Amino acid sequence: MKKNPFGLIATLLLLAILITGACGDRKDTQGQTRIVALSPEVAEIIASLGGTSLLVGVTQECKYPPELAGIKKVGNFGAVSREAVLALKPDLVFTSALEQDALTTDLAKMGLTVKQIYPKKLDDLPLVVLQIGELIGKTEEAKILADSLSSGIAAMRDQTAGKTRPKVYLEIYRDPLMSVSDDSFVGEIIEAAGGDNIFSTLERDYARVSPEAVVKAQPDIIICYSRDSLESILARKGWQDIPAVRSRRVYFETDIDPDLIQQATPRTLEGMRRLYKLFFPSEE
Amino acid sequence: MKRNRIFTLLLVLAGGLVVAFYLFGGGVDANIVTELRLPRLILTVFTGMTLAGIGSVYQLMLANPLAEPYILGISSGSAFGSILFGVLGLTLLMPLGGFIGAVATLLLVWRLAQKKGSFDRSRLLIAGVIAGMFFAAGISLVMYLFQKDTMIILGTLMGNLGHVFTRGEWSFFLVLMGVSLLILAWLWFRAPALDIMSGGDIYAGSVGINVSRVRKEIFVLTSLLIGITVSYAGIIGFVGLIIPHVVRFFVPSGQKRVYLWSLAAGGIFLLLGDLVAKNIAAIELPVGVVTAAVGCPFFVWLMLRK
């Protein structure tokens, strides 16, 4: 039996490389779940459960808390790079719904473990926190946070019960005018904080509305996220008789951060409290 | 002659009915009628008139039955400017962005369409289509980069007559509209020259018409008009293409009359389209979808009858 020393060496070398490679890989992931979160809501919840160190990838929109800044970005919410996600070798990927529906299917096809999380109702928020906590191994932290959220929501509901609710118009676009229904998350937050959304029912959660309908509804408060200015809203043709315009109760991003009320996160409680202050200023 | 009279009668009746429903439908108070519905009606009628009028001019000038106001690319440039301003957060300045886009496209097409001072129609057509494609690509890019603002973009691309005017904006729009009406009147006076030019450039030249110059003037002035309509109402397809053809079915010849009837029919048709768009479904539909859905079957019927 003739031995080929080169062949043997080559085989050994190859083996060595394979083993060290595999070990290196294992060390990297040992004990630590590698998580990619593609929606700002889930990223924020993970961070508030103390799981920032588990995150290996997020999207451009994941800006809160600021500690997320150092984590690799795999695209923006509506345009996630599938390749970049795969390259991070995640054990778990969190996606959202709507624009990310197709992405969810794609990532699952690529063999990744994908969890789609899209809290649409206020009461889903504590449940989602528990679910995420379990998935990332932060069950205890999640229980504490979920309990405080549940009691905060309940307290807010008690506080607003029986009050005269101001009529609220939330404008998310100006041209064409768009608002939200009570079925949207932000619509429910407005209601929970004691406001009466003038467009309770719309065909979709976020839908076009006519200026006529706004004028007819006579809102007491306008929350304007359509990048319009106070002067311009006051000067809109036909809007002068709206109570909110007459009493200048028009609020903008600077008065209430949209992220606090449009996204289902632990900060939602803070958002509701701020809304409450806008709705019932006399209680201050 | 008889057909002509029927058309007149139909138009007047339809117009009266549509205006009445548009303004007073659903029983609302005076404030809403004068401050919200009337401005929208004026914007709609003006847009419809302009689109159909320019459509009739282009079909003759470019000797192409498929020509419509958007064929020379101005609308894409205008929409691009308007959308760009919108996604950058300058929502109030969107009409200005639209106008800048229109003028930029105008200059580009102007440059491309000219060769040694001549301004022939195939060059103009090709230049327009190229410019249109270029800006359409720009719109796609902006759409991809700013997915959150899809509604602003769709509002512009599918037509949105519900522009929210502030008082200042409204006065400014009225001034623009005044200028536009003057241009529309000027186009009426150019109608005989267009008729002659449709017999061929050489023939028109032989009877003393400076063909290249007329084409330039018409191109520049109509581009400004299109820029204004797209800036405020977005892109509304179909009106500019089909209305002149429908009019020609009733008024077979003479650009002067075809043009006038196109103005009238375009205004009323778009008003009807908007009325339907606002009321047919629980949600307001994009007016461009309605104009196509109502107009195409009607045109098919007209063609089959003929």
Side-chain angles (χ1 to χ4, degrees):
Chain A
M1 207 161 71
K2 250 189 181 178
K3 278 184 185 169
N4 181 345
F6 292 108
L8 190 65
I9 290 168
T11 319
L12 282 175
L13 259 176
L14 199 68
L15 260 173
I17 290 169
L18 277 176
I19 289 167
T20 44
C23 283
D25 234 22
R26 202 164 291 152
K27 245 181 227 160
D28 219 30
T29 54
Q30 213 167 31
Q32 287 270 50
T33 327
R34 294 171 65 83
I35 297 173
V36 171
L38 300 175
S39 76
E41 298 178 331
V42 173
E44 187 175 332
I45 291 173
I46 291 178
S48 60
L49 293 176
T52 311
S53 61
L54 304 178
L55 285 169
V56 292
V58 291
T59 45
Q60 301 278 355
E61 287 80 1
C62 305
K63 286 184 180 144
Y64 190 91
E67 66 200 52
L68 295 180
I71 297 166
K72 190 164 169 47
K73 307 286 182 285
V74 292
N76 61 36
F77 185 79
V80 172
S81 158
R82 282 124 175 97
E83 206 174 281
V85 174
L86 199 63
L88 292 170
K89 296 186 188 141
D91 302 305
L92 180 58
V93 181
F94 285 105
T95 60
S96 182
L98 308 172
E99 290 105 314
Q100 291 193 348
D101 279 335
L103 175 76
T104 307
T105 327
D106 282 1
L107 292 176
K109 269 195 222 159
M110 290 157 77
L112 296 172
T113 312
V114 186
K115 283 282 166 210
Q116 192 172 32
I117 290 192
Y118 179 58
K120 236 193 94 177
K121 299 266 115 202
L122 184 54
D123 289 324
D124 289 346
L125 181 56
L127 301 177
V128 161
V129 168
L130 286 176
Q131 191 190 355
I132 294 176
E134 237 156 74
L135 286 166
I136 67 169
K138 302 270 180 193
T139 324
E140 282 311 306
E141 292 89 335
K143 266 187 195 147
I144 297 168
L145 180 59
D147 284 347
S148 82
L149 285 171
S150 300
S151 55
I153 294 167
M156 182 53 73
R157 284 190 173 136
D158 286 345
Q159 206 176 347
T160 58
K163 280 197 155 63
T164 315
R165 304 154 79 78
K167 283 187 277 179
V168 180
Y169 164 57
L170 172 66
E171 181 170 299
I172 52 175
Y173 275 111
R174 181 184 192 271
D175 260 322
L177 278 190
M178 279 183 79
S179 187
V180 300
S181 77
D182 287 356
D183 289 333
S184 68
F185 187 78
V186 58
E188 206 191 343
I189 298 298
I190 289 173
E191 295 278 327
D196 176 16
N197 180 14
I198 60 169
F199 293 111
S200 330
T201 51
L202 287 172
E203 301 66 36
R204 272 177 274 158
D205 299 354
Y206 301 86
R208 268 181 90 151
V209 296
S210 74
E212 253 180 52
V214 178
V215 174
K216 268 190 220 160
Q218 297 278 298
D220 302 301
I221 289 173
I222 295 177
I223 301 173
C224 171
Y225 287 163
S226 61
R227 304 171 190 161
D228 208 346
S229 65
L230 182 63
E231 301 75 57
S232 141
I233 290 181
L234 298 183
R236 282 186 191 176
K237 275 181 81 63
W239 287 49
Q240 272 64 42
D241 292 338
I242 297 178
V245 172
R246 270 201 310 246
S247 59
R248 306 282 193 271
R249 290 181 78 183
V250 184
Y251 302 104
F252 299 88
E253 275 104 335
T254 43
D255 300 304
I256 180 153
D257 180 353
D259 288 353
L260 294 183
I261 60 172
Q262 288 187 332
Q263 294 180 356
T265 69
R267 285 188 294 161
T268 299
L269 279 184
E270 165 73 13
M272 283 168 36
R273 287 190 200 110
R274 292 217 193 152
L275 279 182
Y276 184 85
K277 280 184 195 166
L278 298 183
F279 296 167
F280 308 102
S282 53
E283 287 187 18
E284 277 308 291
Chain B
M1 212 58 216
K2 201 175 150 219
R3 203 187 256 176
N4 195 344
R5 258 191 222 139
I6 294 172
F7 190 53
T8 317
L9 198 67
L10 272 177
L11 216 56
V12 170
L13 268 177
L17 271 176
V18 172
V19 169
F21 268 109
Y22 200 91
L23 284 181
F24 305 108
V28 287
D29 59 46
N31 175 47
I32 285 182
V33 173
T34 55
E35 293 289 291
L36 291 170
R37 291 194 178 179
L38 193 63
R40 184 168 177 151
L41 178 135
I42 292 172
L43 172 64
T44 306
V45 171
F46 165 69
T47 305
M49 278 170 64
T50 308
L51 292 178
I54 294 179
S56 81
V57 170
Y58 278 8
Q59 283 164 13
L60 199 61
M61 179 175 89
L62 301 168
N64 188 334
L66 288 176
E68 40 107 24
Y70 303 142
I71 204 162
L72 295 183
I74 308 298
S75 56
S76 301
S78 177
F80 178 72
S82 174
I83 287 170
L84 200 62
F85 273 47
V87 298
L88 293 179
L90 307 165
T91 329
L92 272 184
L93 297 177
M94 277 174 74
L96 177 69
F99 196 70
I100 293 174
V103 173
T105 321
L106 189 160
L107 294 175
L108 179 70
V109 175
W110 171 275
R111 187 80 197 79
L112 290 174
Q114 241 173 153
K115 196 181 179 188
K116 289 173 192 155
S118 99
F119 210 76
D120 74 8
R121 54 187 171 205
S122 47
R123 246 192 121 78
L124 184 60
L125 203 54
I126 291 169
V129 171
I130 295 285
M133 286 166 103
F134 178 72
F135 286 110
I139 293 171
S140 300
L141 180 68
V142 174
M143 237 171 151
Y144 186 75
L145 293 178
F146 298 87
Q147 289 183 349
K148 274 189 193 158
D149 295 316
T150 316
M151 276 318 288
I152 289 183
I153 300 169
L154 286 185
T156 305
L157 289 183
M158 296 165 90
N160 167 34
L161 292 163
H163 187 87
V164 179
F165 285 103
T166 64
R167 288 175 170 170
E169 263 189 296
W170 179 244
S171 316
F172 186 64
F173 174 74
L174 286 181
V175 173
L176 280 183
M177 200 177 76
V179 176
S180 304
L181 290 177
L182 287 178
I183 299 179
L184 285 177
W186 177 86
L187 283 172
W188 185 71
F189 287 109
R190 291 275 93 177
L194 274 174
D195 267 333
I196 296 168
M197 278 161 65
S198 70
D201 287 5
I202 297 167
Y203 166 64
S206 73
V207 297
I209 291 172
N210 187 339
V211 177
S212 180
R213 211 183 105 197
V214 171
R215 224 170 253 144
K216 265 185 208 167
E217 287 170 355
I218 290 180
F219 165 66
V220 172
L221 291 171
T222 53
S223 295
L224 293 178
L225 282 184
I226 294 162
I228 292 169
T229 61
V230 175
S231 299
Y232 285 95
I235 294 182
I236 301 170
F238 191 82
V239 180
L241 177 65
I242 300 296
I243 292 296
H245 285 301
V246 173
V247 166
R248 274 191 213 101
F249 177 74
F250 294 98
V251 187
S253 69
Q255 171 61 11
K256 260 192 169 172
R257 277 162 67 204
V258 171
Y259 178 71
L260 270 190
W261 286 116
S262 293
L263 290 183
I268 293 166
F269 177 73
L270 191 57
L271 200 60
L272 178 68
D274 191 39
L275 190 66
V276 173
K278 283 203 303 184
N279 295 306
I280 194 167
I283 189 168
E284 183 179 327
L285 299 177
V287 67
V289 174
V290 174
T291 51
V294 175
C296 288
F298 178 69
F299 191 64
V300 168
W301 173 77
L302 211 58
M303 276 175 82
L304 289 179
R305 261 195 62 194
K306 213 169 175 181

